[in-house]
Amino acid sequence: MIGRLNHIAIAVPELEAARALYARLFGAQVSAPQDLPGHGVRVAFVELPNARIELMEPFGEGSPLKGFLERNPAGGVHHLCYEVADIKAARDRLLREGARLLGDGEPKPGAHGKPVLFLLPKDFCGTLIELEEAP
Ligand code: CO
């Protein structure tokens, strides 16, 4: 069921500073910032040959990143995103096995316009996992 690593997300206090850091120090290709109000984040993607890095800063009131950045003021690794071929089939299998989802369990469009879901970190070795449906 589990597919490729799509991205690793890093929460940052200042997206522009993080974009500049990756572009200047690593010479990386970094996408333009993108607001995701439904997820409470603004993101930009660093393109690597085998995956992407999602840089995220809080967007709007009640962003889920606010508490994370209070505990990690310099930023930190926030989640991993794995690709799955069929997100509803993956969700149903995980629920049958007793895993828990964040939110209402309905896939929502993520940064790439594909449906995504998040899994409860307690059930996955303390790691927040995003599943993204990939073609
Ligand atoms: Co993500």
mmCIF file of all heavy atoms in Angstrom, residues 1-7 79-84 87 117 119 124 127-134:
data_model
loop_
_atom_site.group_PDB
_atom_site.id
_atom_site.type_symbol
_atom_site.label_atom_id
_atom_site.label_comp_id
_atom_site.label_asym_id
_atom_site.label_seq_id
_atom_site.Cartn_x
_atom_site.Cartn_y
_atom_site.Cartn_z
ATOM 1 N N MET A 1 0.821 -1.208 0.000
ATOM 2 C CA MET A 1 0.000 0.000 0.000
ATOM 3 C C MET A 1 0.857 1.260 0.000
ATOM 4 O O MET A 1 0.620 2.181 -0.769
ATOM 5 C CB MET A 1 -0.893 -0.013 1.242
ATOM 6 C CG MET A 1 -1.571 1.308 1.498
ATOM 7 S SD MET A 1 -2.493 1.311 3.048
ATOM 8 C CE MET A 1 -1.295 1.908 4.201
ATOM 9 N N ILE A 2 1.886 1.287 0.871
ATOM 10 C CA ILE A 2 2.680 2.508 0.989
ATOM 11 C C ILE A 2 3.545 2.671 -0.261
ATOM 12 O O ILE A 2 4.103 1.704 -0.789
ATOM 13 C CB ILE A 2 3.522 2.493 2.280
ATOM 14 C CG1 ILE A 2 4.077 3.884 2.578
ATOM 15 C CG2 ILE A 2 4.644 1.475 2.194
ATOM 16 C CD1 ILE A 2 4.701 3.992 3.964
ATOM 17 N N GLY A 3 3.634 3.921 -0.723
ATOM 18 C CA GLY A 3 4.403 4.194 -1.934
ATOM 19 C C GLY A 3 5.624 5.037 -1.644
ATOM 20 O O GLY A 3 6.226 4.935 -0.573
ATOM 21 N N ARG A 4 5.970 5.889 -2.570
ATOM 22 C CA ARG A 4 7.185 6.694 -2.449
ATOM 23 C C ARG A 4 7.051 7.746 -1.357
ATOM 24 O O ARG A 4 5.948 8.177 -1.027
ATOM 25 C CB ARG A 4 7.447 7.421 -3.774
ATOM 26 C CG ARG A 4 7.804 6.497 -4.910
ATOM 27 C CD ARG A 4 8.031 7.277 -6.222
ATOM 28 N NE ARG A 4 7.692 8.681 -6.155
ATOM 29 C CZ ARG A 4 8.484 9.666 -6.602
ATOM 30 N NH1 ARG A 4 9.648 9.384 -7.135
ATOM 31 N NH2 ARG A 4 8.073 10.913 -6.553
ATOM 32 N N LEU A 5 8.207 8.167 -0.854
ATOM 33 C CA LEU A 5 8.245 9.351 -0.005
ATOM 34 C C LEU A 5 7.981 10.551 -0.908
ATOM 35 O O LEU A 5 8.717 10.779 -1.873
ATOM 36 C CB LEU A 5 9.615 9.487 0.656
ATOM 37 C CG LEU A 5 9.827 10.753 1.482
ATOM 38 C CD1 LEU A 5 8.948 10.750 2.729
ATOM 39 C CD2 LEU A 5 11.299 10.887 1.876
ATOM 40 N N ASN A 6 6.916 11.294 -0.632
ATOM 41 C CA ASN A 6 6.621 12.480 -1.444
ATOM 42 C C ASN A 6 7.373 13.695 -0.919
ATOM 43 O O ASN A 6 8.040 14.388 -1.675
ATOM 44 C CB ASN A 6 5.111 12.729 -1.463
ATOM 45 C CG ASN A 6 4.737 13.887 -2.365
ATOM 46 O OD1 ASN A 6 4.875 15.041 -1.985
ATOM 47 N ND2 ASN A 6 4.294 13.590 -3.587
ATOM 48 N N HIS A 7 7.239 13.963 0.384
ATOM 49 C CA HIS A 7 7.990 15.079 0.961
ATOM 50 C C HIS A 7 8.173 14.929 2.452
ATOM 51 O O HIS A 7 7.478 14.153 3.107
ATOM 52 C CB HIS A 7 7.332 16.433 0.645
ATOM 53 C CG HIS A 7 5.943 16.614 1.191
ATOM 54 N ND1 HIS A 7 4.812 16.323 0.479
ATOM 55 C CD2 HIS A 7 5.500 17.072 2.389
ATOM 56 C CE1 HIS A 7 3.737 16.597 1.196
ATOM 57 N NE2 HIS A 7 4.124 17.047 2.374
ATOM 58 N N HIS A 79 6.266 16.709 9.587
ATOM 59 C CA HIS A 79 5.623 15.468 9.145
ATOM 60 C C HIS A 79 6.326 14.887 7.922
ATOM 61 O O HIS A 79 7.137 15.550 7.273
ATOM 62 C CB HIS A 79 4.124 15.663 8.865
ATOM 63 C CG HIS A 79 3.796 16.569 7.709
ATOM 64 N ND1 HIS A 79 3.508 17.913 7.869
ATOM 65 C CD2 HIS A 79 3.682 16.335 6.378
ATOM 66 C CE1 HIS A 79 3.228 18.445 6.684
ATOM 67 N NE2 HIS A 79 3.336 17.505 5.749
ATOM 68 N N LEU A 80 6.013 13.613 7.664
ATOM 69 C CA LEU A 80 6.465 12.916 6.458
ATOM 70 C C LEU A 80 5.240 12.650 5.606
ATOM 71 O O LEU A 80 4.167 12.388 6.142
ATOM 72 C CB LEU A 80 7.091 11.563 6.803
ATOM 73 C CG LEU A 80 8.177 11.543 7.868
ATOM 74 C CD1 LEU A 80 8.650 10.101 8.060
ATOM 75 C CD2 LEU A 80 9.325 12.431 7.459
ATOM 76 N N CYS A 81 5.400 12.705 4.290
ATOM 77 C CA CYS A 81 4.268 12.416 3.405
ATOM 78 C C CYS A 81 4.603 11.240 2.505
ATOM 79 O O CYS A 81 5.574 11.287 1.745
ATOM 80 C CB CYS A 81 3.921 13.637 2.558
ATOM 81 S SG CYS A 81 2.589 13.309 1.376
ATOM 82 N N TYR A 82 3.798 10.195 2.630
ATOM 83 C CA TYR A 82 3.942 9.005 1.792
ATOM 84 C C TYR A 82 2.844 8.993 0.733
ATOM 85 O O TYR A 82 1.713 9.396 1.010
ATOM 86 C CB TYR A 82 3.810 7.736 2.630
ATOM 87 C CG TYR A 82 4.822 7.608 3.739
ATOM 88 C CD1 TYR A 82 4.412 7.380 5.045
ATOM 89 C CD2 TYR A 82 6.182 7.700 3.478
ATOM 90 C CE1 TYR A 82 5.338 7.251 6.071
ATOM 91 C CE2 TYR A 82 7.105 7.567 4.498
ATOM 92 C CZ TYR A 82 6.684 7.345 5.787
ATOM 93 O OH TYR A 82 7.588 7.226 6.803
ATOM 94 N N GLU A 83 3.182 8.506 -0.434
ATOM 95 C CA GLU A 83 2.187 8.394 -1.498
ATOM 96 C C GLU A 83 1.430 7.066 -1.389
ATOM 97 O O GLU A 83 2.016 6.052 -1.011
ATOM 98 C CB GLU A 83 2.875 8.473 -2.867
ATOM 99 C CG GLU A 83 3.542 9.825 -3.093
ATOM 100 C CD GLU A 83 4.255 9.914 -4.441
ATOM 101 O OE1 GLU A 83 4.329 8.891 -5.158
ATOM 102 O OE2 GLU A 83 4.737 11.019 -4.753
ATOM 103 N N VAL A 84 0.161 7.126 -1.695
ATOM 104 C CA VAL A 84 -0.645 5.904 -1.811
ATOM 105 C C VAL A 84 -1.438 6.003 -3.117
ATOM 106 O O VAL A 84 -1.776 7.098 -3.570
ATOM 107 C CB VAL A 84 -1.609 5.709 -0.620
ATOM 108 C CG1 VAL A 84 -0.839 5.451 0.667
ATOM 109 C CG2 VAL A 84 -2.535 6.897 -0.443
ATOM 110 N N ILE A 87 -6.383 6.655 -1.840
ATOM 111 C CA ILE A 87 -6.338 7.149 -0.456
ATOM 112 C C ILE A 87 -7.504 6.622 0.376
ATOM 113 O O ILE A 87 -7.348 6.362 1.564
ATOM 114 C CB ILE A 87 -6.260 8.694 -0.430
ATOM 115 C CG1 ILE A 87 -5.752 9.155 0.946
ATOM 116 C CG2 ILE A 87 -7.586 9.334 -0.790
ATOM 117 C CD1 ILE A 87 -5.210 10.554 0.970
ATOM 118 N N LEU A 117 -4.598 12.972 3.788
ATOM 119 C CA LEU A 117 -5.086 12.638 5.130
ATOM 120 C C LEU A 117 -3.908 12.666 6.080
ATOM 121 O O LEU A 117 -2.770 12.414 5.666
ATOM 122 C CB LEU A 117 -5.646 11.203 5.163
ATOM 123 C CG LEU A 117 -7.020 10.934 4.607
ATOM 124 C CD1 LEU A 117 -7.251 9.418 4.598
ATOM 125 C CD2 LEU A 117 -8.088 11.630 5.438
ATOM 126 N N LEU A 119 -2.412 11.083 9.854
ATOM 127 C CA LEU A 119 -2.579 9.981 10.812
ATOM 128 C C LEU A 119 -2.078 10.416 12.179
ATOM 129 O O LEU A 119 -1.120 11.192 12.283
ATOM 130 C CB LEU A 119 -1.789 8.754 10.345
ATOM 131 C CG LEU A 119 -2.056 8.334 8.895
ATOM 132 C CD1 LEU A 119 -1.185 7.128 8.539
ATOM 133 C CD2 LEU A 119 -3.523 8.011 8.689
ATOM 134 N N PHE A 124 1.983 6.024 15.156
ATOM 135 C CA PHE A 124 3.033 5.808 14.158
ATOM 136 C C PHE A 124 4.391 6.289 14.669
ATOM 137 O O PHE A 124 5.023 7.168 14.097
ATOM 138 C CB PHE A 124 2.664 6.482 12.827
ATOM 139 C CG PHE A 124 1.500 5.801 12.161
ATOM 140 C CD1 PHE A 124 0.208 6.222 12.415
ATOM 141 C CD2 PHE A 124 1.696 4.693 11.358
ATOM 142 C CE1 PHE A 124 -0.877 5.563 11.846
ATOM 143 C CE2 PHE A 124 0.627 4.030 10.784
ATOM 144 C CZ PHE A 124 -0.660 4.465 11.034
ATOM 145 N N THR A 127 5.406 9.965 14.942
ATOM 146 C CA THR A 127 5.621 10.755 13.727
ATOM 147 C C THR A 127 4.288 11.104 13.083
ATOM 148 O O THR A 127 3.456 10.223 12.863
ATOM 149 C CB THR A 127 6.447 9.935 12.705
ATOM 150 O OG1 THR A 127 7.604 9.438 13.354
ATOM 151 C CG2 THR A 127 6.840 10.781 11.526
ATOM 152 N N LEU A 128 4.100 12.381 12.786
ATOM 153 C CA LEU A 128 2.907 12.783 12.038
ATOM 154 C C LEU A 128 3.091 12.369 10.588
ATOM 155 O O LEU A 128 4.106 12.720 9.956
ATOM 156 C CB LEU A 128 2.692 14.298 12.160
ATOM 157 C CG LEU A 128 1.504 14.880 11.387
ATOM 158 C CD1 LEU A 128 0.184 14.237 11.801
ATOM 159 C CD2 LEU A 128 1.439 16.401 11.574
ATOM 160 N N ILE A 129 2.147 11.613 10.073
ATOM 161 C CA ILE A 129 2.237 11.103 8.702
ATOM 162 C C ILE A 129 1.078 11.650 7.882
ATOM 163 O O ILE A 129 -0.079 11.599 8.303
ATOM 164 C CB ILE A 129 2.233 9.560 8.685
ATOM 165 C CG1 ILE A 129 3.527 9.052 9.300
ATOM 166 C CG2 ILE A 129 2.056 9.029 7.257
ATOM 167 C CD1 ILE A 129 3.587 7.560 9.437
ATOM 168 N N GLU A 130 1.429 12.171 6.702
ATOM 169 C CA GLU A 130 0.445 12.606 5.723
ATOM 170 C C GLU A 130 0.439 11.553 4.618
ATOM 171 O O GLU A 130 1.497 11.096 4.186
ATOM 172 C CB GLU A 130 0.884 13.968 5.160
ATOM 173 C CG GLU A 130 -0.012 14.503 4.042
ATOM 174 C CD GLU A 130 0.475 15.867 3.519
ATOM 175 O OE1 GLU A 130 1.649 16.220 3.717
ATOM 176 O OE2 GLU A 130 -0.340 16.566 2.891
ATOM 177 N N LEU A 131 -0.747 11.168 4.193
ATOM 178 C CA LEU A 131 -0.870 10.303 3.009
ATOM 179 C C LEU A 131 -1.385 11.160 1.872
ATOM 180 O O LEU A 131 -2.305 11.966 2.059
ATOM 181 C CB LEU A 131 -1.842 9.158 3.271
ATOM 182 C CG LEU A 131 -1.487 8.186 4.388
ATOM 183 C CD1 LEU A 131 -2.565 7.116 4.498
ATOM 184 C CD2 LEU A 131 -0.126 7.541 4.142
ATOM 185 N N GLU A 132 -0.788 10.999 0.698
ATOM 186 C CA GLU A 132 -1.238 11.766 -0.472
ATOM 187 C C GLU A 132 -1.501 10.778 -1.604
ATOM 188 O O GLU A 132 -0.669 9.906 -1.870
ATOM 189 C CB GLU A 132 -0.180 12.783 -0.890
ATOM 190 C CG GLU A 132 -0.588 13.579 -2.125
ATOM 191 C CD GLU A 132 0.396 14.696 -2.464
ATOM 192 O OE1 GLU A 132 0.729 15.482 -1.571
ATOM 193 O OE2 GLU A 132 0.837 14.758 -3.621
ATOM 194 N N GLU A 133 -2.644 10.953 -2.245
ATOM 195 C CA GLU A 133 -2.953 10.088 -3.388
ATOM 196 C C GLU A 133 -2.111 10.518 -4.581
ATOM 197 O O GLU A 133 -2.102 11.685 -4.957
ATOM 198 C CB GLU A 133 -4.444 10.161 -3.723
ATOM 199 C CG GLU A 133 -4.875 9.106 -4.710
ATOM 200 C CD GLU A 133 -6.380 8.980 -4.735
ATOM 201 O OE1 GLU A 133 -6.929 8.226 -3.919
ATOM 202 O OE2 GLU A 133 -7.018 9.663 -5.566
ATOM 203 N N ALA A 134 -1.355 9.587 -5.104
ATOM 204 C CA ALA A 134 -0.496 9.876 -6.259
ATOM 205 C C ALA A 134 -0.995 9.065 -7.444
ATOM 206 O O ALA A 134 -1.515 7.966 -7.256
ATOM 207 C CB ALA A 134 0.950 9.522 -5.940
#
